Short mmCIF file of all heavy atoms in Angstrom, two decimals:
data_model
loop_
_atom_site.label_atom_id
_atom_site.label_comp_id
_atom_site.label_asym_id
_atom_site.label_seq_id
_atom_site.Cartn_x
_atom_site.Cartn_y
_atom_site.Cartn_z
N THR A 67 40.07 -82.08 25.44
CA THR A 67 41.16 -81.43 26.16
C THR A 67 41.14 -79.92 25.99
O THR A 67 40.68 -79.40 24.97
CB THR A 67 42.51 -81.99 25.70
OG1 THR A 67 43.56 -81.48 26.54
CG2 THR A 67 42.81 -81.61 24.25
N ILE A 68 41.66 -79.23 27.01
CA ILE A 68 41.94 -77.79 26.96
C ILE A 68 43.43 -77.64 27.19
O ILE A 68 43.93 -77.81 28.30
CB ILE A 68 41.15 -77.03 28.04
CG1 ILE A 68 39.64 -77.18 27.83
CG2 ILE A 68 41.55 -75.55 28.04
CD1 ILE A 68 38.81 -76.64 28.98
N VAL A 69 44.15 -77.36 26.11
CA VAL A 69 45.60 -77.19 26.17
C VAL A 69 45.92 -75.71 26.00
O VAL A 69 45.34 -75.03 25.14
CB VAL A 69 46.30 -78.00 25.06
CG1 VAL A 69 47.82 -77.79 25.11
CG2 VAL A 69 45.97 -79.49 25.18
N VAL A 70 46.83 -75.21 26.82
CA VAL A 70 47.25 -73.81 26.71
C VAL A 70 48.73 -73.76 26.35
O VAL A 70 49.59 -73.99 27.21
CB VAL A 70 46.99 -73.04 28.02
CG1 VAL A 70 47.37 -71.56 27.83
CG2 VAL A 70 45.53 -73.16 28.45
N PRO A 71 49.06 -73.48 25.10
CA PRO A 71 50.47 -73.36 24.71
C PRO A 71 51.09 -72.11 25.36
O PRO A 71 50.48 -71.04 25.37
CB PRO A 71 50.41 -73.20 23.19
CG PRO A 71 49.06 -73.69 22.79
CD PRO A 71 48.17 -73.36 23.94
N MET A 72 52.31 -72.28 25.85
CA MET A 72 53.06 -71.17 26.43
C MET A 72 54.48 -71.18 25.89
O MET A 72 55.44 -70.83 26.57
CB MET A 72 53.05 -71.27 27.96
CG MET A 72 51.67 -71.12 28.56
SD MET A 72 51.69 -71.16 30.37
CE MET A 72 49.99 -70.66 30.74
N ASP A 73 54.61 -71.55 24.62
CA ASP A 73 55.92 -71.68 23.97
C ASP A 73 56.27 -70.45 23.12
O ASP A 73 57.23 -70.47 22.36
CB ASP A 73 55.92 -72.92 23.08
CG ASP A 73 54.83 -72.88 22.01
OD1 ASP A 73 53.69 -72.52 22.35
OD2 ASP A 73 55.11 -73.20 20.84
N HIS A 74 55.52 -69.37 23.28
CA HIS A 74 55.66 -68.20 22.41
C HIS A 74 56.97 -67.44 22.59
O HIS A 74 57.38 -66.67 21.71
CB HIS A 74 54.49 -67.24 22.65
CG HIS A 74 53.14 -67.84 22.43
ND1 HIS A 74 52.67 -68.91 23.17
CD2 HIS A 74 52.15 -67.52 21.55
CE1 HIS A 74 51.46 -69.21 22.75
NE2 HIS A 74 51.13 -68.40 21.78
N GLY A 75 57.62 -67.59 23.74
CA GLY A 75 58.80 -66.79 24.05
C GLY A 75 59.93 -66.95 23.06
O GLY A 75 60.64 -65.98 22.76
N VAL A 76 60.14 -68.16 22.55
CA VAL A 76 61.19 -68.37 21.57
C VAL A 76 60.86 -67.60 20.29
O VAL A 76 61.73 -66.97 19.69
CB VAL A 76 61.38 -69.87 21.26
CG1 VAL A 76 62.31 -70.06 20.06
CG2 VAL A 76 61.95 -70.59 22.47
N THR A 77 59.61 -67.59 19.90
CA THR A 77 59.22 -66.96 18.65
C THR A 77 59.21 -65.45 18.75
O THR A 77 59.77 -64.75 17.88
CB THR A 77 57.81 -67.44 18.23
OG1 THR A 77 57.80 -68.87 18.19
CG2 THR A 77 57.45 -66.91 16.86
N VAL A 78 58.60 -64.90 19.79
CA VAL A 78 58.38 -63.44 19.85
C VAL A 78 58.87 -62.80 21.14
O VAL A 78 58.67 -61.60 21.34
CB VAL A 78 56.89 -63.10 19.64
CG1 VAL A 78 56.44 -63.48 18.24
CG2 VAL A 78 56.02 -63.80 20.68
N GLY A 79 59.48 -63.55 22.04
CA GLY A 79 59.97 -62.97 23.28
C GLY A 79 58.95 -63.04 24.40
O GLY A 79 57.88 -63.64 24.26
N PRO A 80 59.26 -62.42 25.55
CA PRO A 80 58.39 -62.51 26.74
C PRO A 80 57.18 -61.58 26.63
O PRO A 80 57.15 -60.48 27.16
CB PRO A 80 59.32 -62.08 27.88
CG PRO A 80 60.29 -61.15 27.22
CD PRO A 80 60.51 -61.67 25.83
N ILE A 81 56.16 -62.04 25.92
CA ILE A 81 54.97 -61.22 25.69
C ILE A 81 54.08 -61.16 26.93
O ILE A 81 54.23 -61.96 27.86
CB ILE A 81 54.17 -61.74 24.48
CG1 ILE A 81 53.75 -63.20 24.69
CG2 ILE A 81 54.98 -61.60 23.20
CD1 ILE A 81 52.85 -63.74 23.58
N ASP A 82 53.14 -60.22 26.92
CA ASP A 82 52.20 -60.08 28.02
C ASP A 82 51.52 -61.41 28.31
O ASP A 82 51.06 -62.11 27.41
CB ASP A 82 51.13 -59.04 27.68
CG ASP A 82 51.68 -57.62 27.65
OD1 ASP A 82 52.80 -57.41 28.17
OD2 ASP A 82 50.99 -56.73 27.12
N GLY A 83 51.47 -61.74 29.59
CA GLY A 83 50.84 -63.00 30.01
C GLY A 83 51.84 -64.10 30.24
O GLY A 83 51.52 -65.10 30.88
N LEU A 84 53.06 -63.94 29.71
CA LEU A 84 54.07 -64.99 29.85
C LEU A 84 55.38 -64.46 30.41
O LEU A 84 56.45 -64.94 30.05
CB LEU A 84 54.33 -65.66 28.48
CG LEU A 84 53.18 -66.44 27.87
CD1 LEU A 84 53.63 -67.10 26.57
CD2 LEU A 84 52.64 -67.50 28.83
N VAL A 85 55.29 -63.49 31.29
CA VAL A 85 56.51 -62.96 31.93
C VAL A 85 56.83 -63.77 33.18
O VAL A 85 57.91 -64.34 33.31
CB VAL A 85 56.35 -61.46 32.25
CG1 VAL A 85 57.59 -60.95 32.99
CG2 VAL A 85 56.14 -60.66 30.97
N ASP A 86 55.88 -63.85 34.09
CA ASP A 86 56.02 -64.68 35.29
C ASP A 86 55.38 -66.03 34.99
O ASP A 86 54.15 -66.16 35.00
CB ASP A 86 55.33 -64.01 36.48
CG ASP A 86 55.51 -64.77 37.78
OD1 ASP A 86 55.62 -66.01 37.75
OD2 ASP A 86 55.52 -64.12 38.84
N MET A 87 56.19 -67.03 34.71
CA MET A 87 55.64 -68.30 34.23
C MET A 87 54.90 -69.09 35.31
O MET A 87 53.93 -69.76 35.02
CB MET A 87 56.76 -69.16 33.64
CG MET A 87 57.26 -68.65 32.29
SD MET A 87 55.91 -68.44 31.09
CE MET A 87 55.26 -70.11 31.03
N ARG A 88 55.35 -69.00 36.56
CA ARG A 88 54.62 -69.71 37.61
C ARG A 88 53.22 -69.12 37.76
O ARG A 88 52.24 -69.85 37.95
CB ARG A 88 55.38 -69.65 38.93
CG ARG A 88 56.59 -70.55 38.97
CD ARG A 88 57.25 -70.59 40.35
NE ARG A 88 58.39 -71.50 40.33
CZ ARG A 88 59.61 -71.15 39.99
NH1 ARG A 88 59.86 -69.89 39.65
NH2 ARG A 88 60.60 -72.02 39.99
N GLU A 89 53.13 -67.81 37.65
CA GLU A 89 51.83 -67.17 37.74
C GLU A 89 50.97 -67.55 36.54
O GLU A 89 49.77 -67.85 36.69
CB GLU A 89 52.01 -65.65 37.79
CG GLU A 89 50.70 -64.88 37.86
CD GLU A 89 50.91 -63.38 37.87
OE1 GLU A 89 51.68 -62.88 37.03
OE2 GLU A 89 50.29 -62.71 38.70
N ALA A 90 51.56 -67.54 35.34
CA ALA A 90 50.81 -67.88 34.12
C ALA A 90 50.27 -69.30 34.18
O ALA A 90 49.09 -69.55 33.87
CB ALA A 90 51.70 -67.69 32.90
N VAL A 91 51.12 -70.23 34.57
CA VAL A 91 50.68 -71.63 34.66
C VAL A 91 49.64 -71.77 35.76
O VAL A 91 48.62 -72.45 35.59
CB VAL A 91 51.88 -72.56 34.92
CG1 VAL A 91 51.40 -73.99 35.20
CG2 VAL A 91 52.83 -72.56 33.72
N GLY A 92 49.87 -71.13 36.90
CA GLY A 92 48.94 -71.23 38.02
C GLY A 92 47.54 -70.78 37.66
O GLY A 92 46.55 -71.39 38.09
N LYS A 93 47.43 -69.72 36.86
CA LYS A 93 46.11 -69.21 36.49
C LYS A 93 45.31 -70.22 35.67
O LYS A 93 44.11 -70.41 35.89
CB LYS A 93 46.26 -67.91 35.71
CG LYS A 93 46.66 -66.71 36.57
CD LYS A 93 46.84 -65.46 35.73
CE LYS A 93 47.21 -64.26 36.59
NZ LYS A 93 47.44 -63.04 35.78
N VAL A 94 45.97 -70.89 34.71
CA VAL A 94 45.21 -71.84 33.88
C VAL A 94 44.98 -73.16 34.63
O VAL A 94 43.97 -73.84 34.39
CB VAL A 94 45.89 -72.07 32.51
CG1 VAL A 94 46.00 -70.76 31.75
CG2 VAL A 94 47.24 -72.74 32.64
#
């Protein structure tokens, strides 16, 4: 499997790459 975690926002806020979530998910 290739899993891409995108749960970082709770820990450190909206970091680069995870601002627009539809775009972030769409890319992977």
Side-chain angles (χ1 to χ4, degrees):
T67 188
I68 299 171
V69 179
V70 183
M72 296 183 170
D73 59 315
H74 302 62
V76 170
T77 306
V78 295
I81 58 175
D82 289 345
L84 294 183
V85 176
D86 184 329
M87 288 306 301
R88 286 187 179 87
E89 179 182 48
V91 173
K93 287 178 179 178
V94 300

